[in-house]
């Protein structure tokens, strides 16, 4: 539209929903707006993506990110990190790097396909939000179980070591479900969660309480 480029801003703060933005038509305008979005000088990361709007054409997805985000201790951006399969820090602005007329990557910024914008905002964001809340619930369950003696110090350290390794290695991802955990760790974690279900009334965070209630319902159905 009038030389402007459709992009999506992905916030590191997962309480903020990603939003569609329009970048200015000139190079100077775009550079200034990208710097404003990420908070300073920026670098670019790239990966192949697919336009889901009908023709399923591949395109180069570009993410603009603060070039010293890790050094400045900016918060990790969970959505962008999953999207680009590497740890990214601070707010990230994503655009299309493939020229829609030639189908080639040309180093310029182009409109993101609208279907891809909707995927980020309506599908990916809610899913990752739910995953983050679930992870917080597990962390609370494990720490509570350690405090009240439901699990031993050795069991706590074994579970903690496994999860830290998974989260710190950018080439590894945490188990997609509890069923994918090793049997001994699944049993330990199961005790932690059951202990937390009994103490559900002590949970003050409404989001954690909601997801814990869902887990409780699933456990009740199994029994």
């Amino acid at each position: 539209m009038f030389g402007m480029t459709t992009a999506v801003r992905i916030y590191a703060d997962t309480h903020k929903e990603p939003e569609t933005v329009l970048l200015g038509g000139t190079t100077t305008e775009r550079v200034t707006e990208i710097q404003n979005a990420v908070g300073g000088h920026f670098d670019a990361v790239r990966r192949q993506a697919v336009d889901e709007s009908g023709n399923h054409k591949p395109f180069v997805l570009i993410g603009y990110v603060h070039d010293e985000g890790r050094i400045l201790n900016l918060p990790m951006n969970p959505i962008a990190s999953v999207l680009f399969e590497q740890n990214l820090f601070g707010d990230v602005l994503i655009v299309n790097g493939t020229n829609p007329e030639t189908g080639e990557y040309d180093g310029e910024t182009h409109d993101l396909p609208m279907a891809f914008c909707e995927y980020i905002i309506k599908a990916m964001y809610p899913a990752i939000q739910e995953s983050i809340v679930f992870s917080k619930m597990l962390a609370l369950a494990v720490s509570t179980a350690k405090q009240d003696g439901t699990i031993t110090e050795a069991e706590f350290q074994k579970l903690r070591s496994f999860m830290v390794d998974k989260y710190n290695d950018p080439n590894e991802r945490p188990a997609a479900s509890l069923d994918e955990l090793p049997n001994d760790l699944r049993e330990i974690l199961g005790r932690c969660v059951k202990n937390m279900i009994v103490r559900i009334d002590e949970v003050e965070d409404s989001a954690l309480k909601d997801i814990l209630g869902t887990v409780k319902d699933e456990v009740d159905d199994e029994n």
Side-chain angles (χ1 to χ4, degrees):
M1 178 186 297
F2 306 111
M4 305 185 83
T5 302
T6 301
V8 169
R9 183 175 182 178
I10 302 175
Y11 294 95
D13 181 355
T14 55
H15 292 97
K16 295 182 179 181
E17 181 179 289
E19 61 179 354
T20 303
V21 297
L22 292 176
L23 300 181
T26 69
T27 299
T28 300
E29 289 174 333
R30 286 195 297 272
V31 169
T32 299
E33 289 165 359
I34 293 170
Q35 288 178 331
N36 289 339
V38 305
H41 296 295
F42 59 87
D43 200 355
V45 292
R46 301 170 182 82
R47 64 157 295 182
Q48 287 289 325
V50 176
D51 179 0
E52 299 290 352
S53 61
N55 51 32
H56 299 282
K57 286 185 178 180
F59 67 95
V60 177
L61 181 67
I62 299 176
Y64 293 113
V65 58
H66 197 297
D67 64 357
E68 293 186 336
R70 186 190 293 268
I71 297 174
L72 295 175
N73 292 318
L74 296 181
M76 181 180 287
N77 190 315
I79 301 173
S81 296
V82 170
L83 193 59
F84 287 93
E85 299 180 333
Q86 59 181 294
N87 292 336
L88 299 178
F89 300 85
D91 295 346
V92 176
L93 196 70
I94 60 173
V95 298
N96 180 5
T98 299
N99 188 311
E101 295 181 0
T102 66
E104 301 291 333
Y105 171 74
D106 60 7
E108 299 293 334
T109 59
H110 302 282
D111 292 331
L112 276 175
M114 288 310 300
F116 193 82
C117 296
E118 292 180 0
Y119 164 73
I120 296 294
I121 297 170
K122 296 182 179 180
M124 190 174 186
Y125 170 67
I128 290 181
Q129 243 193 342
E130 182 178 351
S131 177
I132 290 171
V133 174
F134 187 72
S135 297
K136 288 181 179 179
M137 184 275 291
L138 290 182
L140 176 63
V142 171
S143 63
T144 300
K146 176 178 178 291
Q147 291 173 6
D148 63 18
T150 300
I151 61 174
T152 66
E153 176 68 25
E155 289 174 328
F156 170 78
Q157 293 298 337
K158 187 174 184 179
L159 187 59
R160 180 178 180 276
S161 177
F162 178 84
M163 297 308 294
V164 166
D165 287 345
K166 283 289 186 184
Y167 277 105
N168 284 347
D169 184 348
N171 296 315
E172 288 282 353
R173 297 296 172 194
S177 70
L178 299 186
D179 290 339
E180 295 178 9
L181 286 169
N183 289 336
D184 56 340
L185 294 181
R186 188 166 69 247
E187 189 277 329
I188 296 171
L189 193 56
R191 274 189 277 138
C192 296
V193 172
K194 289 180 180 179
N195 178 64
M196 200 70 246
I197 288 174
V198 174
R199 306 174 66 159
I200 189 171
D201 291 337
E202 300 175 19
V203 179
E204 296 181 357
D205 187 302
S206 59
L208 295 182
K209 196 164 188 173
D210 286 346
I211 201 164
L212 191 58
T214 299
V215 174
K216 180 180 182 300
D217 291 340
E218 292 176 354
V219 172
D220 292 342
D221 289 341
E222 291 177 358
N223 296 331

